[in-house]
Amino acid sequence: MATLDFEIRPNPAPVAATQRAALLADPGFGRVFTDHMATIRYSDAKGWYDARIEPFGPISLSPATAGLHYAQEIFEGLKAYHAPDGGVTMFRPEANARRMQITCDRMAMPRLPEEAFLTAVRLLVERDREWIPTQDGGSLYIRPFMFATEVFLGVKPSSEYLFCVIASPAGSYFAGGVHPVDVWVSAEYTRAAPGGTGAAKCAGNYAASLAAQAEAIEAGCDQVVFLDAVERRYVDELGGMNVFSVYGEGDDVTLVTPPLAGTILPGITRDSVLSIATDRGWRVEERPYALSEWQADAESGRLRESFACGTAAVVTPIGRIRGADLDFTIGGGVEGPVTRRLRETLLGIQHGELPDPHGWVHRLL
Ligand code: PLP
Ligand code: COI
Protein backbone atom coordinates (compact mmCIF):
# COMPACT_ATOMS: atom_id res chain seq x y z
CA MET A 1 0.00 0.00 0.00
CA ALA A 2 1.22 3.53 -0.79
CA THR A 3 2.05 5.62 2.27
CA LEU A 4 -0.98 7.56 3.51
CA ASP A 5 -0.70 11.33 3.56
CA PHE A 6 -2.33 12.87 6.61
CA GLU A 7 -4.27 16.06 6.12
CA ILE A 8 -3.73 18.32 9.15
CA ARG A 9 -6.74 20.31 10.32
CA PRO A 10 -5.60 22.21 13.44
CA ASN A 11 -8.18 22.77 16.16
CA PRO A 12 -9.27 26.41 15.79
CA ALA A 13 -10.27 26.57 19.47
CA PRO A 14 -7.75 24.54 21.50
CA VAL A 15 -8.05 24.46 25.28
CA ALA A 16 -6.38 27.56 26.78
CA ALA A 17 -2.97 26.99 28.42
CA THR A 18 -4.23 27.91 31.91
CA GLN A 19 -7.18 25.52 31.67
CA ARG A 20 -4.93 22.80 30.29
CA ALA A 21 -2.55 23.26 33.22
CA ALA A 22 -5.49 22.91 35.64
CA LEU A 23 -6.66 19.73 33.88
CA LEU A 24 -3.13 18.30 33.91
CA ALA A 25 -2.68 18.85 37.65
CA ASP A 26 -4.75 15.78 38.54
CA PRO A 27 -6.02 14.10 35.38
CA GLY A 28 -6.98 10.73 36.90
CA PHE A 29 -7.60 8.19 34.13
CA GLY A 30 -9.60 8.55 30.93
CA ARG A 31 -11.65 11.69 31.58
CA VAL A 32 -9.57 14.46 30.00
CA PHE A 33 -8.81 14.53 26.26
CA THR A 34 -6.38 16.49 24.12
CA ASP A 35 -7.23 19.00 21.35
CA HIS A 36 -6.93 16.63 18.38
CA MET A 37 -7.62 13.11 17.16
CA ALA A 38 -6.34 11.07 14.24
CA THR A 39 -8.78 9.39 11.88
CA ILE A 40 -8.41 7.06 8.89
CA ARG A 41 -11.29 5.59 6.93
CA TYR A 42 -11.54 2.26 5.15
CA SER A 43 -13.84 0.84 2.55
CA ASP A 44 -13.57 -2.42 0.63
CA ALA A 45 -13.67 -0.34 -2.56
CA LYS A 46 -11.00 2.26 -1.66
CA GLY A 47 -8.85 0.58 0.98
CA TRP A 48 -7.46 2.99 3.63
CA TYR A 49 -8.10 6.64 2.78
CA ASP A 50 -8.84 10.09 4.20
CA ALA A 51 -6.14 10.10 6.89
CA ARG A 52 -6.39 13.19 9.06
CA ILE A 53 -5.37 14.92 12.22
CA GLU A 54 -8.45 16.93 13.17
CA PRO A 55 -10.05 18.60 16.18
CA PHE A 56 -11.14 16.18 18.92
CA GLY A 57 -14.91 16.08 18.74
CA PRO A 58 -18.11 14.12 18.19
CA ILE A 59 -18.44 11.60 15.38
CA SER A 60 -21.77 11.59 13.59
CA LEU A 61 -23.15 8.10 12.87
CA SER A 62 -26.27 6.59 11.36
CA PRO A 63 -28.31 4.67 13.95
CA ALA A 64 -27.92 1.71 11.60
CA THR A 65 -24.10 1.75 11.80
CA ALA A 66 -23.05 -1.91 12.00
CA GLY A 67 -20.57 -1.39 14.84
CA LEU A 68 -23.35 -0.17 17.12
CA HIS A 69 -25.24 -3.41 16.62
CA TYR A 70 -22.78 -6.28 16.31
CA ALA A 71 -19.72 -4.91 18.13
CA GLN A 72 -17.09 -5.14 15.43
CA GLU A 73 -15.07 -2.74 17.58
CA ILE A 74 -11.50 -3.14 18.73
CA PHE A 75 -8.99 -0.98 20.55
CA GLU A 76 -5.44 -0.59 21.82
CA GLY A 77 -3.80 1.27 24.70
CA LEU A 78 -0.25 2.66 24.88
CA LYS A 79 1.51 5.61 26.46
CA ALA A 80 3.74 8.58 25.59
CA TYR A 81 6.15 10.13 28.10
CA HIS A 82 8.36 13.14 28.64
CA ALA A 83 12.01 12.15 28.41
CA PRO A 84 14.40 13.69 30.98
CA ASP A 85 15.97 15.87 28.24
CA GLY A 86 12.59 17.39 27.35
CA GLY A 87 11.97 15.04 24.41
CA VAL A 88 8.94 12.82 23.91
CA THR A 89 8.92 9.02 23.77
CA MET A 90 6.46 6.16 23.37
CA PHE A 91 6.73 2.63 24.71
CA ARG A 92 6.69 -0.27 22.21
CA PRO A 93 4.09 1.26 19.83
CA GLU A 94 4.93 -1.27 17.11
CA ALA A 95 3.83 -4.05 19.48
CA ASN A 96 0.42 -2.38 19.79
CA ALA A 97 0.22 -1.96 16.00
CA ARG A 98 0.91 -5.68 15.54
CA ARG A 99 -1.51 -6.75 18.27
CA MET A 100 -4.22 -4.65 16.65
CA GLN A 101 -3.63 -6.51 13.38
CA ILE A 102 -4.06 -9.85 15.15
CA THR A 103 -7.24 -8.54 16.76
CA CYS A 104 -8.42 -7.43 13.30
CA ASP A 105 -7.96 -10.99 12.00
CA ARG A 106 -10.06 -12.45 14.83
CA MET A 107 -12.81 -9.88 14.35
CA ALA A 108 -12.94 -10.23 10.53
CA MET A 109 -11.75 -6.64 10.09
CA PRO A 110 -9.16 -5.38 7.58
CA ARG A 111 -5.63 -5.08 8.98
CA LEU A 112 -4.51 -1.49 9.41
CA PRO A 113 -0.92 -1.34 8.11
CA GLU A 114 1.60 -0.96 10.94
CA GLU A 115 3.04 2.18 9.36
CA ALA A 116 -0.38 3.90 9.23
CA PHE A 117 -0.99 3.06 12.91
CA LEU A 118 2.43 4.40 13.92
CA THR A 119 2.11 7.58 11.84
CA ALA A 120 -1.35 8.37 13.20
CA VAL A 121 -0.15 7.94 16.79
CA ARG A 122 3.05 9.90 16.18
CA LEU A 123 1.34 12.86 14.48
CA LEU A 124 -1.26 13.10 17.23
CA VAL A 125 1.28 12.96 20.06
CA GLU A 126 3.58 15.47 18.35
CA ARG A 127 0.72 17.90 17.87
CA ASP A 128 -0.68 17.52 21.39
CA ARG A 129 2.66 17.16 23.21
CA GLU A 130 1.75 19.98 25.59
CA TRP A 131 -0.80 17.57 27.06
CA ILE A 132 1.77 15.06 28.33
CA PRO A 133 1.80 15.43 32.12
CA THR A 134 5.19 16.29 33.59
CA GLN A 135 4.56 15.19 37.17
CA ASP A 136 5.93 11.95 38.58
CA GLY A 137 4.17 8.92 37.12
CA GLY A 138 2.28 11.05 34.58
CA SER A 139 1.91 9.97 30.95
CA LEU A 140 -0.28 10.50 27.93
CA TYR A 141 -2.54 7.46 27.46
CA ILE A 142 -3.15 6.86 23.76
CA ARG A 143 -6.28 5.05 22.69
CA PRO A 144 -6.36 3.80 19.08
CA PHE A 145 -9.65 2.13 18.16
CA MET A 146 -11.49 0.95 15.08
CA PHE A 147 -15.09 0.07 14.39
CA ALA A 148 -17.49 -0.99 11.65
CA THR A 149 -19.19 1.97 9.96
CA GLU A 150 -21.19 0.33 7.18
CA VAL A 151 -24.86 1.29 7.45
CA PHE A 152 -26.41 -2.16 7.26
CA LEU A 153 -28.17 -4.48 9.69
CA GLY A 154 -27.14 -7.76 8.08
CA VAL A 155 -24.79 -9.83 10.25
CA LYS A 156 -21.55 -9.95 8.25
CA PRO A 157 -18.15 -8.26 8.31
CA SER A 158 -18.66 -4.57 7.58
CA SER A 159 -17.39 -3.18 4.27
CA GLU A 160 -16.42 0.15 5.91
CA TYR A 161 -14.47 1.10 9.05
CA LEU A 162 -13.23 4.12 10.94
CA PHE A 163 -9.85 3.97 12.69
CA CYS A 164 -9.40 6.72 15.25
CA VAL A 165 -6.78 7.69 17.83
CA ILE A 166 -7.54 9.86 20.85
CA ALA A 167 -5.21 10.78 23.71
CA SER A 168 -5.82 11.38 27.38
CA PRO A 169 -3.39 12.67 30.02
CA ALA A 170 -3.20 10.07 32.79
CA GLY A 171 -2.13 9.76 36.39
CA SER A 172 -2.65 6.51 38.30
CA TYR A 173 -5.30 4.07 37.00
CA PHE A 174 -6.39 3.26 40.54
CA ALA A 175 -7.67 6.17 42.62
CA GLY A 176 -5.23 7.11 45.36
CA GLY A 177 -2.06 6.13 43.45
CA VAL A 178 -0.08 2.88 43.69
CA HIS A 179 -1.27 0.74 46.59
CA PRO A 180 -2.07 -2.96 46.95
CA VAL A 181 -5.45 -3.67 45.36
CA ASP A 182 -8.07 -6.21 46.47
CA VAL A 183 -9.36 -8.50 43.75
CA TRP A 184 -12.57 -10.51 43.47
CA VAL A 185 -12.64 -14.02 41.98
CA SER A 186 -15.82 -14.37 39.98
CA ALA A 187 -17.53 -17.71 40.56
CA GLU A 188 -20.43 -16.99 38.24
CA TYR A 189 -18.90 -15.29 35.21
CA THR A 190 -16.08 -16.21 32.86
CA ARG A 191 -14.31 -13.90 30.42
CA ALA A 192 -13.17 -16.08 27.55
CA ALA A 193 -13.56 -19.66 26.39
CA PRO A 194 -11.19 -21.62 24.13
CA GLY A 195 -11.92 -20.57 20.55
CA GLY A 196 -13.47 -17.31 21.71
CA THR A 197 -12.08 -13.79 21.63
CA GLY A 198 -10.08 -13.69 24.88
CA ALA A 199 -6.76 -13.04 23.14
CA ALA A 200 -8.22 -10.20 21.04
CA LYS A 201 -8.56 -6.65 22.32
CA CYS A 202 -12.17 -6.29 21.26
CA ALA A 203 -14.77 -4.14 22.98
CA GLY A 204 -17.14 -7.08 23.57
CA ASN A 205 -14.69 -8.70 26.01
CA TYR A 206 -14.97 -5.62 28.20
CA ALA A 207 -18.74 -5.39 27.94
CA ALA A 208 -18.92 -9.03 29.01
CA SER A 209 -16.64 -8.33 31.98
CA LEU A 210 -18.69 -5.51 33.44
CA ALA A 211 -21.24 -7.54 35.42
CA ALA A 212 -18.35 -9.37 37.08
CA GLN A 213 -16.49 -6.10 37.64
CA ALA A 214 -19.64 -4.62 39.20
CA GLU A 215 -19.78 -7.65 41.52
CA ALA A 216 -16.16 -6.95 42.51
CA ILE A 217 -16.88 -3.29 43.24
CA GLU A 218 -20.02 -4.25 45.17
CA ALA A 219 -17.85 -6.51 47.34
CA GLY A 220 -15.45 -3.62 47.96
CA CYS A 221 -12.74 -4.94 45.60
CA ASP A 222 -10.91 -3.04 42.86
CA GLN A 223 -10.80 -5.59 40.03
CA VAL A 224 -12.28 -8.93 39.05
CA VAL A 225 -10.16 -12.08 38.53
CA PHE A 226 -11.42 -14.46 35.87
CA LEU A 227 -10.90 -18.20 36.04
CA ASP A 228 -10.65 -20.46 32.99
CA ALA A 229 -14.04 -21.12 31.44
CA VAL A 230 -13.64 -24.91 31.14
CA GLU A 231 -12.65 -26.13 34.60
CA ARG A 232 -13.05 -22.91 36.59
CA ARG A 233 -9.82 -23.90 38.31
CA TYR A 234 -7.05 -21.85 36.75
CA VAL A 235 -6.40 -18.14 36.98
CA ASP A 236 -6.72 -16.44 33.59
CA GLU A 237 -6.37 -12.67 34.15
CA LEU A 238 -8.04 -9.61 35.59
CA GLY A 239 -10.68 -7.54 33.81
CA GLY A 240 -8.02 -5.25 32.31
CA MET A 241 -4.65 -6.62 33.43
CA ASN A 242 -2.47 -9.72 33.38
CA VAL A 243 -1.48 -11.36 36.65
CA PHE A 244 1.79 -12.66 38.14
CA SER A 245 2.81 -14.41 41.35
CA VAL A 246 6.31 -14.09 42.81
CA TYR A 247 8.13 -16.93 44.61
CA GLY A 248 11.48 -16.67 46.41
CA GLU A 249 13.49 -13.59 47.22
CA GLY A 250 16.79 -11.83 46.55
CA ASP A 251 18.43 -13.36 43.46
CA ASP A 252 16.41 -16.56 43.82
CA VAL A 253 13.10 -15.39 42.37
CA THR A 254 10.58 -17.19 40.16
CA LEU A 255 7.70 -15.39 38.48
CA VAL A 256 4.65 -17.46 37.56
CA THR A 257 2.05 -16.20 35.07
CA PRO A 258 -0.70 -17.94 33.08
CA PRO A 259 0.32 -18.98 29.55
CA LEU A 260 -0.84 -17.33 26.32
CA ALA A 261 -3.16 -20.16 25.42
CA GLY A 262 -5.77 -18.12 23.56
CA THR A 263 -8.01 -17.03 26.40
CA ILE A 264 -5.96 -14.15 27.84
CA LEU A 265 -4.75 -10.94 26.29
CA PRO A 266 -1.06 -11.09 25.31
CA GLY A 267 -0.15 -8.02 27.36
CA ILE A 268 2.79 -5.91 26.22
CA THR A 269 3.51 -5.11 29.88
CA ARG A 270 3.38 -8.86 30.64
CA ASP A 271 5.93 -9.49 27.90
CA SER A 272 8.12 -6.61 29.15
CA VAL A 273 8.00 -7.89 32.76
CA LEU A 274 9.03 -11.37 31.58
CA SER A 275 12.03 -9.85 29.77
CA ILE A 276 13.05 -7.62 32.68
CA ALA A 277 12.86 -10.59 35.05
CA THR A 278 14.92 -12.79 32.71
CA ASP A 279 17.51 -10.00 32.30
CA ARG A 280 17.89 -9.93 36.09
CA GLY A 281 18.50 -13.66 36.17
CA TRP A 282 15.12 -14.48 37.68
CA ARG A 283 13.23 -17.54 36.50
CA VAL A 284 9.91 -17.18 34.71
CA GLU A 285 7.22 -19.84 34.35
CA GLU A 286 4.34 -19.39 31.92
CA ARG A 287 2.06 -22.18 33.05
CA PRO A 288 -1.48 -22.90 34.26
CA TYR A 289 -1.80 -21.53 37.78
CA ALA A 290 -4.63 -22.94 39.87
CA LEU A 291 -6.62 -20.78 42.25
CA SER A 292 -6.06 -23.52 44.87
CA GLU A 293 -2.28 -23.19 44.40
CA TRP A 294 -2.51 -19.40 44.74
CA GLN A 295 -4.46 -19.75 47.98
CA ALA A 296 -2.39 -22.59 49.51
CA ASP A 297 0.91 -20.84 48.78
CA ALA A 298 -0.31 -17.47 50.07
CA GLU A 299 -1.64 -19.07 53.24
CA SER A 300 1.55 -21.08 53.86
CA GLY A 301 3.62 -17.93 53.33
CA ARG A 302 5.57 -19.52 50.44
CA LEU A 303 4.03 -16.97 48.11
CA ARG A 304 5.01 -13.48 49.17
CA GLU A 305 3.83 -11.30 46.27
CA SER A 306 1.32 -11.14 43.42
CA PHE A 307 0.77 -8.26 41.07
CA ALA A 308 -1.35 -7.12 38.16
CA CYS A 309 0.17 -5.44 35.12
CA GLY A 310 -0.93 -3.54 32.07
CA THR A 311 -0.42 -0.26 30.25
CA ALA A 312 -2.94 1.59 32.40
CA ALA A 313 -2.12 -0.20 35.68
CA VAL A 314 1.69 -0.46 35.07
CA VAL A 315 2.67 -2.93 37.87
CA THR A 316 0.17 -2.88 40.75
CA PRO A 317 0.53 -5.09 43.85
CA ILE A 318 -2.37 -7.39 44.77
CA GLY A 319 -2.98 -7.38 48.52
CA ARG A 320 -5.99 -9.57 49.08
CA ILE A 321 -8.04 -12.08 47.11
CA ARG A 322 -11.69 -12.58 47.88
CA GLY A 323 -14.60 -14.47 46.42
CA ALA A 324 -17.86 -16.11 47.47
CA ASP A 325 -16.07 -18.65 49.76
CA LEU A 326 -12.63 -17.18 49.61
CA ASP A 327 -10.55 -14.63 51.48
CA PHE A 328 -6.77 -14.64 51.66
CA THR A 329 -4.04 -12.06 51.91
CA ILE A 330 -0.73 -12.02 50.09
CA GLY A 331 2.45 -10.98 51.86
CA GLY A 332 0.57 -9.26 54.67
CA GLY A 333 -1.28 -7.08 52.17
CA VAL A 334 1.69 -4.80 51.53
CA GLU A 335 3.76 -4.34 48.39
CA GLY A 336 6.76 -6.67 48.17
CA PRO A 337 10.28 -5.83 46.94
CA VAL A 338 10.11 -7.75 43.65
CA THR A 339 6.89 -6.02 42.60
CA ARG A 340 8.36 -2.63 43.51
CA ARG A 341 11.60 -3.33 41.68
CA LEU A 342 9.76 -4.48 38.53
CA ARG A 343 7.57 -1.37 38.54
CA GLU A 344 10.50 0.95 39.12
CA THR A 345 12.54 -0.73 36.37
CA LEU A 346 9.67 -0.61 33.90
CA LEU A 347 8.83 3.02 34.69
CA GLY A 348 12.54 3.93 34.59
CA ILE A 349 12.87 2.47 31.08
CA GLN A 350 9.59 4.04 29.94
CA HIS A 351 10.56 7.48 31.23
CA GLY A 352 14.08 7.26 29.76
CA GLU A 353 15.77 7.20 33.17
CA LEU A 354 17.21 3.68 32.82
CA PRO A 355 19.01 1.95 29.93
CA ASP A 356 16.72 0.40 27.33
CA PRO A 357 18.53 -2.82 26.32
CA HIS A 358 15.62 -4.13 24.22
CA GLY A 359 15.05 -0.94 22.21
CA TRP A 360 11.50 -0.57 23.53
CA VAL A 361 11.52 3.22 23.76
CA HIS A 362 10.48 4.94 20.56
CA ARG A 363 11.78 8.50 20.36
CA LEU A 364 9.39 11.03 18.80
CA LEU A 365 10.83 14.46 19.53
N1 PLP B 1 -5.46 -7.98 29.94
C1 PLP B 1 -6.50 -7.24 29.59
C2 PLP B 1 -7.85 -7.86 29.59
C3 PLP B 1 -6.32 -5.89 29.25
O1 PLP B 1 -7.35 -5.12 28.92
C4 PLP B 1 -5.02 -5.34 29.27
C5 PLP B 1 -4.79 -3.95 28.93
O2 PLP B 1 -4.52 -3.59 27.86
C6 PLP B 1 -3.96 -6.17 29.63
C7 PLP B 1 -4.21 -7.49 29.96
C8 PLP B 1 -2.55 -5.67 29.63
O3 PLP B 1 -2.09 -5.44 28.32
P1 PLP B 1 -0.98 -4.37 28.01
O4 PLP B 1 0.14 -4.66 28.94
O5 PLP B 1 -0.62 -4.59 26.60
O6 PLP B 1 -1.59 -3.05 28.27
C1 COI C 1 -4.87 -0.72 29.10
O1 COI C 1 -4.16 -0.95 30.08
O2 COI C 1 -4.45 -0.12 28.11
C2 COI C 1 -6.24 -1.17 29.04
O3 COI C 1 -6.75 -1.21 27.99
C3 COI C 1 -6.88 -1.56 30.30
C4 COI C 1 -8.20 -0.90 30.54
C5 COI C 1 -8.12 0.57 30.64
C6 COI C 1 -9.22 -1.39 29.59
Side-chain angles (χ1 to χ4, degrees), residues 194-247:
T197 58
K201 204 157 166 63
C202 60
N205 287 347
Y206 298 81
S209 78
L210 294 179
Q213 177 67 17
E215 211 180 66
I217 300 288
E218 173 85 358
C221 292
D222 302 274
Q223 273 274 313
V224 58
V225 180
F226 288 107
L227 299 180
D228 78 280
V230 177
E231 297 187 60
R232 311 265 182 132
R233 261 182 75 194
Y234 297 101
V235 177
D236 261 356
E237 64 178 326
L238 272 50
M241 292 147 222
N242 294 115
V243 63
F244 281 78
S245 279
V246 181
Y247 289 84

Side-chain angles (χ1 to χ4, degrees), residues 141-173:
Y141 183 77
I142 303 161
R143 171 52 64 86
F145 62 103
M146 178 173 150
F147 62 97
T149 50
E150 184 178 355
V151 176
F152 180 52
L153 294 184
V155 181
K156 67 157 189 78
S158 172
S159 63
E160 295 171 15
Y161 296 88
L162 177 65
F163 170 77
C164 185
V165 191
I166 56 176
S168 174
S172 175
Y173 182 70

Side-chain angles (χ1 to χ4, degrees), residues 287-310:
R287 63 166 174 86
Y289 188 63
L291 176 62
S292 56
E293 181 179 359
W294 204 9
Q295 178 168 16
D297 290 347
E299 286 176 349
S300 74
R302 205 167 89 73
L303 171 67
R304 300 292 301 160
E305 307 178 36
S306 291
F307 62 85
C309 69

Side-chain angles (χ1 to χ4, degrees), residues 20 22-34 77-82 128-143 166-175 177-178 310-314 347 350-351:
R20 188 177 63 229
L23 290 167
L24 285 175
D26 184 18
F29 181 83
R31 292 198 185 279
V32 176
F33 299 95
T34 67
L78 66 161
K79 283 178 170 172
Y81 308 86
H82 272 297
D128 284 343
R129 61 177 299 182
E130 302 295 335
W131 286 92
I132 306 175
T134 46
Q135 73 266 36
D136 228 18
S139 58
L140 186 67
Y141 183 77
I142 303 161
R143 171 52 64 86
I166 56 176
S168 174
S172 175
Y173 182 70
F174 292 107
V178 178
T311 298
V314 193
L347 283 171
Q350 289 172 335
H351 286 268

